Amino acid sequence: MSTYEKYPTVEIQGYDDSAWQGWEAIVATLNEHIHQRRRAVLVIDCYPGVRLGELEEKLLPALNATLTLNAERARRDEQSIHEMLARNLTDDRVFGVLSCHQLHEFIDPQKLAAMQEQVSRCTDGIVIVYGPGAALVHQGDILVYADMPRWEIQQRMRSGELDNWGAGNQQEDMLRRYKRAFFVEWRVFDRHKTPLLKRADFLLDTTLADRPALVTGDALRAALAQTTRRPFRVVPFFDPGVWGGQWMKQHFDLDPGAPNYAWCFDCVPEENSLLLRFGAVRIEIPSQNLVLLQPRALLGEKVHARFGAEFPIRFDFLDTIGGQNLSFQVHPLTEYIQQQFGMHYTQDESYYILEAEPDAVVYLGTKTGTSPEAMLDDLRRAQRGEKPFDDARFVNQFPAKKHDHFLIPAGTVHCSGAGTMVLEISATPYIFTFKLWDWGRLGMDGLPRPVHLEHGERVIDWQRDTQWVNAHLVNQVETVAEGHGWREERTGLHEREFIETRRHWFSEPVVHHTGGSVNVLNLIEGAQARVDSPSGAFAPFVVNYAETFIIPADVGEYRISAWGKGAGQQLATIKAWVRG
């Protein structure tokens, strides 16, 4: 039986009576608040992806409103929105340009004014304005925000239930719909919801169909503050892929009927959920809400000053054990991602090998003496289907074994070979992978996987050849401190990467300090460990093998010890933070 916890939950103290489960309890709570007034405007603003039909069937009729308005009826028509976004969406299936739009730009001013006039003319009873952008119609005497995690949005898109907001594009391929959400919708609605969450009276969770939950805004904000004072985990999600393997299925107790699992996003707050428990009620929110509302306490002053309300460190798993090679790829240089896509930092990364089969390799850097023109010509011919890419001629293959660490600064060609279980430690702009060669495969959707050679050839650093990679990127391990029962090793990353990593081997307790920066760790060796506070500042927190956990900057000092099934074992953690 796996010990890996797939639904980690943060237990919130002091607000057990501030959350409700089920439509009946939610209706009773809202009615209690709105019917105390002779006239009240209830605004239910929504993240795109919330099932408005469920609100219209289960919630709104029970509130006995005099007037009910759907804010989406003030949205501009589909063609107008498409023309406005054309520059951001581009013609590419995968890559767009990051949007700086505000939500009001998607709204027809005349329709909005007419709706506002309807609200103002209704001088008695209850007025309800609901849907994405409802707070643009009226700020609300009572404000409810209905949020939606991004992973659930993607599932609804994949099932065909959901199109992009205002697009009517359910039949469009998933890559294009994801692109529109990533580059436009999520940016626009995060800007819109952040000030609303700071003043909302309630948050409504409708992630699970017909199993809604409601929490007061005060309790939600207190919960986020509590979370920044203790270790926590976000909710991992798992996804199959054409190259996916079998290791996670076996070790994380996943669906045995699934063909494979390629990815696990174990710490990607932009897309993961955060589970908060208030007494008997569990609330699921995007973990990005913690970043948006508590950036300084979570990230630390220096990290917040540099990145704003963005979580810059990503931990995820890539499973090719029993699978295939990843795509041969490269990530953009900083200036390229800034100029082409509007991102302000790039995807530097590393592969930490959790497990490996005997013949596993990592492809990293070009072979010394490689002619750029010859390799690019070979890649172009492979892209046209004339021949397979001659990887053995142009690309280094390094044997990969358990606990190896390969550093991959942007511009370095690379991929993990079959037979590896990789803990990928990287910067967060994870969508920016330029595939150079995909081994002639089709994607899970049966379509050719996009190859972006035209981008990739502009960012490959040809100086990263065999000698350079050996000297700078393969197992750059240095012991920096040790004591009785523990040893601390620096394992990277490269000087061009802003993430620092340290590995601790220990059989005795090890004291750490955040140093004013958010720390992200994974238990890479040993069954179980406990994280506690030497001063008793937070309740002890137990982690299991391969679980990623976050230590907010405000925690300061913390201690990690062998615990439970890990007692008496040699344990190890890998820790990442942003260099000062």
Side-chain angles (χ1 to χ4, degrees):
M1 177 65 71
S2 171
T3 58
Y4 182 90
E5 175 56 61
K6 295 188 286 293
Y7 301 99
T9 302
V10 181
E11 303 286 341
I12 303 305
Q13 305 300 314
Y15 291 88
D16 289 5
D17 59 352
S18 298
W20 301 266
Q21 187 87 49
W23 286 122
E24 184 177 350
I26 290 170
V27 166
T29 300
L30 293 179
N31 269 326
E32 179 182 347
H33 282 77
I34 61 181
H35 289 291
Q36 292 175 354
R37 310 169 185 233
R38 185 179 66 84
R39 193 257 189 186
V41 179
L42 170 64
V43 168
I44 307 175
D45 208 317
C46 304
Y47 209 78
V50 170
R51 293 185 176 106
L52 298 188
E54 190 173 346
L55 302 186
E56 292 163 345
E57 179 184 353
K58 302 293 179 63
L59 177 62
L60 303 185
L63 297 177
N64 300 311
T66 304
L67 174 67
T68 301
L69 298 173
N70 182 346
E72 287 198 310
R73 293 175 185 163
R75 189 176 57 206
R76 293 183 184 273
D77 64 81
E78 184 176 341
Q79 183 61 32
S80 298
I81 293 175
H82 181 78
E83 291 171 359
M84 180 176 71
L85 299 179
R87 173 70 182 93
N88 297 91
L89 297 179
T90 73
D91 294 326
D92 192 280
R93 282 181 70 197
V94 177
F95 301 118
V97 177
L98 211 62
S99 166
C100 292
H101 293 92
Q102 301 291 330
L103 184 56
H104 68 80
E105 298 176 65
F106 293 75
I107 305 301
D108 184 304
Q110 293 181 328
K111 293 178 181 178
L112 178 63
M115 220 173 253
Q116 291 170 332
E117 177 63 20
Q118 282 183 277
V119 174
S120 65
R121 285 203 310 265
C122 190
T123 58
D124 197 23
I126 305 304
V127 176
I128 298 176
V129 186
Y130 72 100
L136 297 177
V137 178
H138 193 282
Q139 68 176 2
D141 299 314
I142 299 170
L143 173 62
V144 177
Y145 194 81
D147 215 342
M148 184 56 51
R150 292 181 183 175
W151 180 236
E152 175 62 21
I153 292 172
Q154 291 176 61
Q155 299 314 296
R156 296 180 185 187
M157 284 182 170
R158 290 178 183 181
S159 71
E161 172 190 349
L162 183 67
D163 52 19
N164 288 104
W165 191 65
N169 63 346
Q170 286 173 309
Q171 303 309 312
E172 196 169 36
D173 80 76
M174 185 59 196
L175 287 177
R176 291 185 184 276
R177 283 184 286 156
Y178 179 86
K179 175 188 69 172
R180 185 173 180 133
F182 179 91
F183 284 96
V184 179
E185 289 167 19
W186 296 340
R187 311 299 162 179
V188 170
F189 277 93
D190 281 358
R191 293 185 194 108
H192 176 67
K193 80 173 179 179
T194 301
L196 299 184
L197 289 174
K198 292 177 180 178
R199 67 177 181 87
D201 298 288
F202 299 95
L203 178 132
L204 177 62
D205 167 19
T206 61
T207 306
L208 301 178
D210 295 319
R211 293 179 59 188
L214 185 77
V215 63
T216 67
D218 288 341
L220 172 70
R221 290 181 286 271
L224 295 178
Q226 285 186 28
T227 304
T228 65
R229 297 193 289 269
R230 48 156 291 167
F232 69 96
R233 293 184 62 222
V234 294
V235 181
F237 65 80
F238 305 86
D239 218 13
V242 65
W243 44 263
Q246 304 298 314
W247 190 92
M248 288 192 293
K249 187 192 298 188
Q250 298 164 4
H251 288 78
F252 295 164
D253 200 21
L254 304 177
D255 179 7
N260 65 63
Y261 286 97
W263 290 278
C264 168
F265 282 15
D266 202 36
C267 177
V268 187
E270 268 207 359
E271 297 212 16
N272 288 117
S273 293
L274 181 66
L275 295 178
L276 306 171
R277 184 170 294 281
F278 303 84
V281 179
R282 191 182 78 174
I283 300 288
E284 182 171 358
I285 62 171
S287 53
Q288 179 71 355
N289 289 1
L290 182 65
V291 185
L292 294 173
L293 268 66
Q294 293 284 339
R296 292 188 173 186
L298 174 64
L299 303 177
E301 288 291 333
K302 291 181 180 179
V303 178
H304 178 243
R306 181 173 177 181
F307 294 97
E310 291 189 21
F311 197 94
I313 302 172
R314 179 187 80 175
F315 276 37
D316 64 277
F317 297 129
L318 309 171
D319 182 1
T320 68
I321 292 181
Q324 305 173 26
N325 296 343
L326 270 66
S327 60
F328 181 55
Q329 59 193 241
V330 68
H331 299 301
L333 302 172
T334 302
E335 61 269 27
Y336 195 82
I337 204 170
Q338 290 173 341
Q339 293 164 7
Q340 298 295 320
F341 308 112
M343 300 290 293
H344 61 280
Y345 62 103
T346 192
Q347 186 170 327
D348 294 307
E349 64 186 26
S350 69
Y351 288 165
Y352 191 93
I353 308 300
L354 278 184
E355 299 284 351
E357 295 181 325
D359 297 327
V361 299
V362 165
Y363 296 77
L364 189 62
T366 56
K367 287 189 173 180
T368 298
T370 289
S371 161
E373 293 76 15
M375 178 169 147
L376 291 171
D377 180 66
D378 206 69
L379 285 167
R380 292 188 190 101
R381 293 176 63 194
Q383 187 175 9
R384 293 193 297 265
E386 298 173 7
K387 62 180 292 294
F389 173 59
D390 191 353
D391 58 281
R393 175 184 171 192
F394 297 109
V395 185
N396 301 306
Q397 294 184 35
F398 293 96
K401 61 183 186 299
K402 186 178 177 71
H403 294 305
D404 283 345
H405 200 179
F406 299 91
L407 316 180
I408 313 172
T412 310
V413 296
H414 66 281
C415 78
S416 173
T420 58
M421 179 61 194
V422 172
L423 170 61
E424 186 176 47
I425 301 172
S426 75
T428 306
Y430 53 91
I431 195 175
F432 295 97
T433 296
F434 299 150
K435 294 183 181 70
L436 305 174
W437 165 241
D438 198 40
W439 316 98
R441 299 179 295 213
L442 298 179
M444 298 287 281
D445 56 6
L447 298 174
R449 301 234 295 163
V451 172
H452 287 93
L453 188 54
E454 72 280 8
H455 286 305
E457 65 180 315
R458 299 174 192 168
V459 300
I460 295 172
D461 188 332
W462 298 100
Q463 298 180 52
R464 295 183 186 164
D465 60 10
T466 310
Q467 283 74 21
W468 193 92
V469 169
N470 259 316
H472 297 279
L473 303 185
V474 179
N475 286 328
Q476 302 298 299
V477 179
E478 171 192 2
T479 298
V480 294
E482 56 187 322
H484 175 65
W486 64 271
R487 181 173 78 256
E488 178 181 357
E489 298 170 334
R490 182 181 185 276
T491 69
L493 299 185
H494 185 261
E495 63 182 0
R496 287 186 62 90
E497 304 179 75
F498 63 75
I499 296 173
E500 181 67 45
T501 56
R502 297 290 173 89
R503 179 170 60 198
H504 286 79
W505 297 97
F506 61 99
S507 54
E508 297 293 328
V510 179
V511 175
H512 299 250
H513 201 288
T514 62
S517 169
V518 63
N519 290 187
V520 182
L521 299 93
N522 188 282
L523 184 62
I524 55 174
E525 185 71 35
Q528 202 168 54
R530 187 180 79 159
V531 187
D532 69 355
S533 167
S535 64
F538 57 82
F541 180 78
V542 175
V543 294
N544 301 297
Y545 174 64
E547 290 181 352
T548 298
F549 55 103
I550 299 169
I551 309 290
D554 269 10
V555 166
E557 190 176 54
Y558 59 101
R559 178 172 52 203
I560 304 179
S561 312
W563 183 257
K565 295 178 181 179
Q569 296 181 346
Q570 169 89 321
L571 278 70
T573 57
I574 190 83
K575 175 173 68 173
W577 73 92
V578 175
R579 293 189 183 116

